[in-house]
């Protein structure tokens, strides 16, 4: 008896391109950004909770550390957004992102008991370019950036453009730094 051997690089012959599912691109973008958040939370030792029903905030992220002075565990609220309308690696110190005014009001409210941040993921336009896997890594492409919009004014009739700093890459170190500041009684 002869056993069939898989083709190099996978189970399908290289001449056949696997078809992607028919899920809407925006739904796939939402799933990708949630995967990014889960990876960052895991690497930073944070726990995640998803409010149900969602009232305009996607996730609660909690971080426990002995150095926190306000509580042994602090929480922030995270709103995720994803776009391919801004190219990866935007030039300059900021890039523009537009929010519905109702959503901005929720994110800009001050003072708050639990701080909120907006995390915007920039992805390539084509799903095939969203991730790369190898024996030693899984790359999610391209990047998430974060900002705290507390106190930001509404300027548009229905939507307002905010500026997202390109220096604020959302990774495990950034999340730990955010939680350290909040744990000391400060802002993200």
């Amino acid at each position: 008896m002869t056993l069939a051997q898989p083709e190099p690089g996978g189970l399908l012959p290289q001449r056949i391109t696997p078809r992607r599912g028919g899920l809407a691109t925006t739904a796939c973008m939402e799933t990708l950004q949630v995967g990014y958040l889960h990876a960052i939370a895991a690497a930073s030792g944070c726990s995640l909770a998803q409010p149900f029903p969602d009232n305009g905030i996607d996730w609660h992220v909690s971080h426990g550390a002995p150095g926190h002075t306000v509580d042994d565990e602090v929480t922030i609220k995270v709103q995720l957004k994803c776009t391919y309308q801004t190219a990866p690696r935007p030039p300059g110190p900021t890039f523009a992102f537009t929010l519905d005014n109702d959503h901005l009001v929720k994110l800009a409210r001050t003072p708050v008991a639990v701080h909120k941040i907006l995390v915007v993921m920039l992805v390539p336009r084509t799903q095939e370019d969203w991730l790369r896997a190898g024996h030693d890594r899984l790359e999610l492409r391209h990047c998430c950036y974060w900002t705290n919009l507390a106190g930001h004014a509404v300027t548009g009739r229905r939507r307002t453009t905010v500026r997202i700093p390109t220096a604020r890459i959302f990774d495990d170190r950034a999340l730990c730094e955010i939680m350290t500041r909040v744990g000391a009684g400060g802002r993200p």
Side-chain angles (χ1 to χ4, degrees), residues 13-161:
Q14 290 182 349
R15 65 185 178 279
I16 298 175
T17 302
R19 297 183 68 115
R20 297 189 184 275
L23 197 59
T25 301
T26 52
C28 294
M29 290 166 68
E30 188 174 328
T31 301
L32 184 69
Q33 67 189 5
V34 168
Y36 189 111
L37 177 64
H38 278 252
I40 298 304
S44 61
C46 290
S47 62
L48 294 171
Q50 191 172 22
F52 183 79
D54 176 339
N55 189 22
I57 294 296
D58 294 322
W59 293 90
H60 294 187
V61 180
S62 298
H63 180 268
H68 293 326
T69 56
V70 296
D71 199 345
D72 61 333
E73 183 176 79
V74 294
T75 299
I76 62 168
K77 297 177 181 180
V78 176
Q79 177 62 49
L80 297 173
K81 296 290 183 185
C82 189
T83 184
Y84 54 72
Q85 294 177 350
T86 299
R89 293 189 182 94
T94 64
F95 64 90
F97 188 78
T98 304
L99 288 168
D100 290 335
N101 286 345
D102 291 343
H103 215 147
L104 176 58
V105 166
K106 180 176 275 299
L107 293 171
R109 183 183 172 124
T110 187
V112 295
V114 179
H115 294 282
K116 301 172 190 119
I117 63 170
L118 172 65
V119 175
V120 179
M121 184 173 197
L122 303 183
V123 295
R125 186 171 291 273
T126 307
Q127 278 179 262
E128 294 167 359
D129 296 329
W130 288 0
L131 63 89
R132 297 279 184 261
H135 292 282
D136 62 342
R137 71 191 177 289
L138 172 65
E139 297 174 4
L140 294 178
R141 300 180 70 207
H142 271 277
C143 191
C144 283
Y145 302 89
W146 73 275
T147 192
N148 177 0
L149 293 173
H152 196 289
V154 170
T155 58
R157 290 187 69 206
R158 288 187 215 124
R159 304 186 83 196
T160 296
T161 299

